[in-house]
Amino acid sequence: MIAAQRIEIQRVEQSRVGEFDFSNIPFGKHYTDHMFMADFRDGAWKNLRIVPYGKITISPASPTLHYAHSIFEGLKAYRSESGEALVFRPLANLNRLNRSAERMCLATVPEDLYMESMRELIALDREWIPRQPGASLYIRPFLFSADEYIGIRPSIDFTYMVILSPVGMYYSDPVRVKIETHYTRAAAGGTGYAKTGGNYAASIYPALLAQKEGYHQLLWTDGRAHEYIEESGTMNVMFVIDDTLVTPELTDSILPGITRDSVLTLARHWGWKVEERKVSVKEVVEALASGKMQEAFGVGTAATIAHIEAIGYEGKDYTLPPIAERTFANKLYEELEGIKRGTRPDPFNWMVRM
Ligand SMILES: *Cc1c(COP(=O)(O)O)cnc(C)c1O
């Protein structure tokens, strides 16, 4: 449907890539030369364009500003040893983007628009893909209401955009997390499974309180009775108990992570014992207390794997075994990073050349 439409390209006069310091890249602060934009008007995607990265204008009566009528995605491009741009599972992100769109009454994005815009943008800004080991190019597609209407209703007009940000080696120290038993990230029947703005705005305050107590992140529990573990910060969470990889089963209050899915796929491929099921706070605390909890880690695009060093519950901290003994998480990390950088075989065809 959009295949016939050309993407208009307005290039920058002078790339900023030469001035960029690739040796010291902070997360999320620098963006490449160009960005992609498309408008949904009269029921169709129009005006596909790549323009110099910069500010956009938005109506002060935009439902995006007032009601967080917006969704986003996050994925990464890597530079292979031969210099190609490889993107990890982009269609899985499209799938999730469109499920988020449906939940939030936003227009869905057709596959050709999504893939072609990403391809063209990355081709134009390919010099921004870091060459440093561990670094990559973060891709942030997002979609928001372009209406000028302050009432609550499904929006009619939308804007879809893609911006790119070089990111350094996400060196994550092992994290200390706290099991949250008061605040809720997402309720049953709510929007937890959608990557939509408001979920994240609502999570900042409880996370800040935990930080004041010396934790990096929260281990979110269900909103009904805070009885079951859901996620950790903006990552899915996994445990190794009795040599079994255990993770909460997906519900409508858990974001279905693509890293989560990739980890489960690899673990099953290797013949590991894997359980996707309800994981109670009680079970986790008992496994911690008895020493049966061998590993705990978060999984997500930013860090791939973030080891959990300690878990706090009701004022008591439980420390997990040293990182060097985390054979499950360490093997998963090595394998996933190897697949993403093209140094290991890609048996599931996850990498897409751009
Ligand atoms: C994005 C996100 C994740 C991780 O998803 P990935 O696709 O693996 O990056 C997990 N939880 C939340 C709440 C998220 O927003």
Side-chain angles (χ1 to χ4, degrees):
M1 60 177 293
I2 70 120
Q5 289 187 53
R6 273 195 43 240
I7 299 176
E8 291 285 330
I9 298 178
Q10 185 195 337
R11 285 170 188 262
V12 292
E13 276 167 28
Q14 174 79 51
S15 170
R16 288 178 280 108
V17 74
E19 299 144 35
F20 185 70
D21 179 10
F22 280 95
S23 65
N24 180 20
I25 319 178
F27 183 84
K29 285 205 174 155
H30 296 281
Y31 297 89
T32 64
D33 291 323
H34 301 92
M35 61 187 187
F36 175 80
M37 299 183 80
D39 302 323
F40 191 83
R41 298 287 182 276
D42 304 317
W45 287 105
K46 301 184 175 161
N47 198 9
L48 282 42
R49 60 208 188 272
I50 288 175
V51 295
Y53 175 86
K55 305 227 156 115
I56 57 170
T57 58
I58 188 163
S59 159
S62 162
T64 302
L65 297 177
H66 297 269
Y67 312 125
H69 209 184
S70 66
I71 57 175
F72 66 96
E73 271 303 326
L75 63 164
K76 282 179 172 174
Y78 302 82
R79 190 185 284 276
S80 74
E81 269 163 13
S82 56
E84 297 165 311
L86 299 174
V87 179
F88 186 67
R89 304 190 68 181
L91 290 174
N93 290 85
L94 172 65
N95 199 314
R96 187 169 66 191
L97 180 75
N98 283 336
R99 270 181 290 144
S100 298
E102 198 176 317
R103 177 64 180 82
M104 302 310 295
C105 293
L106 300 162
T108 56
V109 176
E111 184 176 323
D112 52 357
L113 191 163
Y114 172 85
M115 289 302 280
E116 283 312 306
S117 60
M118 197 179 289
R119 219 178 268 287
E120 291 267 350
L121 189 60
I122 289 176
L124 213 54
D125 285 347
R126 115 180 350 255
E127 285 310 309
W128 286 90
I129 308 176
R131 287 178 168 79
Q132 284 68 13
S136 57
L137 187 69
Y138 184 77
I139 307 169
R140 169 53 65 93
F142 57 111
L143 168 58
F144 54 91
S145 167
D147 282 10
E148 187 160 25
Y149 180 66
I150 213 168
I152 309 273
R153 62 155 198 213
S155 295
I156 296 164
D157 292 341
F158 304 94
T159 303
Y160 173 64
M161 296 186 63
V162 184
I163 56 177
L164 306 175
S165 175
V167 292
M169 160 100 78
Y170 193 100
Y171 176 68
S172 147
D173 278 329
V175 291
R176 298 167 50 80
V177 301
K178 179 191 146 184
I179 298 179
E180 177 60 69
T181 51
H182 175 72
Y183 294 99
T184 299
R185 188 191 87 91
T191 57
Y193 72 95
K195 239 174 152 71
T196 182
N199 290 345
Y200 302 86
S203 72
I204 294 171
Y205 180 68
L208 192 66
L209 295 182
Q211 278 158 21
K212 285 187 182 151
E213 291 179 61
Y215 298 99
H216 299 97
Q217 261 171 32
L218 290 173
L219 252 188
W220 294 106
T221 53
D222 70 281
R224 211 171 258 140
H226 301 293
E227 229 179 312
Y228 295 99
I229 301 288
E230 299 217 311
E231 302 195 47
S232 175
T234 54
M235 292 189 285
N236 296 106
V237 65
M238 305 212 168
F239 303 99
V240 179
I241 306 171
D242 277 338
D243 289 324
T244 303
L245 185 67
V246 180
T247 194
E249 66 191 5
L250 293 178
T251 64
D252 63 358
S253 55
I254 295 180
L255 198 288
I258 291 152
T259 316
R260 176 189 182 279
D261 180 75
S262 308
V263 162
L264 294 177
T265 302
L266 282 175
R268 289 186 172 121
H269 179 66
W270 292 332
W272 290 4
K273 278 185 274 175
V274 174
E275 293 177 6
E276 280 181 84
R277 57 170 171 80
K278 286 186 163 197
V279 181
S280 71
V281 173
K282 185 163 173 279
E283 174 185 1
V284 165
V285 173
E286 280 175 6
L288 286 164
S290 68
K292 280 193 181 166
M293 179 74 75
Q294 296 154 275
E295 305 185 21
F297 51 99
V299 298
T301 295
T304 303
I305 301 253
H307 296 290
I308 295 175
E309 171 177 64
I311 299 180
Y313 179 64
E314 290 184 340
K316 186 166 162 29
D317 286 342
Y318 298 85
T319 305
L320 281 101
I323 304 308
E325 292 171 21
R326 311 278 185 104
T327 50
F328 285 70
N330 289 330
K331 180 168 163 69
L332 284 163
Y333 179 78
E334 294 296 318
E335 191 70 19
L336 274 170
E337 286 295 298
I339 292 173
K340 290 171 174 185
R341 290 170 200 290
T343 59
R344 296 248 171 127
D346 176 17
F348 306 101
N349 295 316
W350 282 335
M351 303 314 295
V352 175
R353 238 170 233 107
M354 289 271 172

